[in-house]
């Protein structure tokens, strides 16, 4: 995301690195990771804050071997339960416990009851976000962190998307496509 606002002391304070921005209608939450202040005589001062969705907080955690925690917890849980439970147990073990690893105010959402089983997966010393994303994608599932306004907590949940692509039409004639930009980037293509 990127948010551009006029400079003010209040905006500068609110748009600090590490703070969150919430889209109230959907409870989507993003973390501010970059702040830029610019001033020009013609336009005055502006603040540009950018970052990623809160699920990216898991990108800062590694699945490791800690005292009392199974180092291949995804493998262990997938063999003894379901993928949703495995993902939640993994987040609990590597993003909610231990002073150095715990993400403040992170809680687990209510399980949806997905019962997909998984094959063994090696996960030790891998990035938590990437590992869980790939793990869940094998059964068309995904994960996110949303904001629970009632408790002021970050809620981790697993979900299955719905494919609505066959019923979607974007057209200027229908008024649902006002402008667009197409960009292709192969910088990281190997």
């Amino acid at each position: 995301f990127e948010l551009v606002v006029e400079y003010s002391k209040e905006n500068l304070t609110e748009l600090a690195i590490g703070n969150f921005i919430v889209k109230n209608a959907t409870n989507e939450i993003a973390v501010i990771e970059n702040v830029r202040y610019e001033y020009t005589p013609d336009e005055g001062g502006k603040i540009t804050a950018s970052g990623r969705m809160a699920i990216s907080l898991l990108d800062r955690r590694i699945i490791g071997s800690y005292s009392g925690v199974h180092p291949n917890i995804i493998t262990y849980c997938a063999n003894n339960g379901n993928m949703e439970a495995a993902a939640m147990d993994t987040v609990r073990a590597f993003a909610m416990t231990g002073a150095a690893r715990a993400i403040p105010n992170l809680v687990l959402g209510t399980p949806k009851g997905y019962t997909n089983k998984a094959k063994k997966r090696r996960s030790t010393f891998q990035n938590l976000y990437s590992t869980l994303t790939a793990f869940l994608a094998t059964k068309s599932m995904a994960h996110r962190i949303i904001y629970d306004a009632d408790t002021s907590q970050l809620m981790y949940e697993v979900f299955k998307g719905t494919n609505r692509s066959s019923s979607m039409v974007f057209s200027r004639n229908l008024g649902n496509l006002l402008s667009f930009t197409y960009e292709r980037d192969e910088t990281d293509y190997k």
Side-chain angles (χ1 to χ4, degrees):
F1 79 92
E2 184 174 271
L3 177 67
V4 180
V5 297
E6 288 184 19
Y7 172 82
S8 73
K9 288 182 181 180
E10 180 182 2
N11 285 343
L12 192 59
T13 301
E14 294 292 325
L15 297 177
I17 290 177
N19 283 358
F20 295 101
I21 294 180
V22 177
K23 183 177 178 184
N24 291 329
T26 62
N27 290 339
E28 291 178 279
I29 185 167
V31 61
I32 298 171
E33 296 178 314
N34 182 287
V35 178
R36 183 175 67 239
Y37 169 69
E38 297 176 79
Y39 175 82
T40 63
D42 296 336
E43 296 180 22
K46 68 178 179 178
I47 301 169
T48 303
S50 60
R52 298 179 290 167
M53 300 309 292
I55 193 71
S56 68
L57 293 170
L58 300 183
D59 197 31
R60 303 174 185 178
R61 299 296 181 270
I62 299 296
I63 297 172
S65 181
Y66 303 102
S67 177
V69 178
H70 192 281
N72 286 315
I73 197 160
I74 290 178
T75 300
Y76 176 79
C77 293
N79 290 334
N80 296 291
N82 63 56
M83 291 179 74
E84 180 183 31
M88 289 191 162
D89 286 349
T90 303
V91 168
R92 182 184 299 109
F94 299 106
M96 296 175 64
T97 59
R101 294 184 312 275
I103 296 171
N105 300 315
L106 181 63
V107 298
L108 298 176
T110 304
K112 309 282 191 299
Y114 304 135
T115 57
N116 300 71
K117 299 244 179 187
K119 295 179 181 177
K120 280 188 173 186
R121 183 176 195 91
R122 177 175 281 278
S123 55
T124 306
F125 302 112
Q126 301 295 314
N127 170 289
L128 182 57
Y129 171 77
S130 300
T131 301
L132 286 175
T133 299
F135 175 71
L136 293 167
T138 63
K139 299 293 182 180
S140 301
M141 292 190 282
H143 57 147
R144 63 184 167 203
I145 293 176
I146 60 171
Y147 180 69
D148 183 348
D150 295 333
T151 62
S152 297
Q153 293 181 313
L154 306 174
M155 187 181 311
Y156 175 82
E157 62 182 17
V158 174
F159 67 96
K160 285 187 180 183
T162 303
N163 184 352
R164 293 187 175 95
S165 61
S166 63
S167 62
M168 296 173 67
V169 177
F170 293 100
S171 166
R172 287 187 180 166
N173 295 336
L174 295 174
N176 62 7
L177 181 63
L178 302 178
S179 64
F180 70 92
T181 301
Y182 173 81
E183 181 177 337
R184 183 172 173 169
D185 185 352
E186 293 189 4
T187 305
D188 293 328
Y189 183 73
K190 308 249 187 267

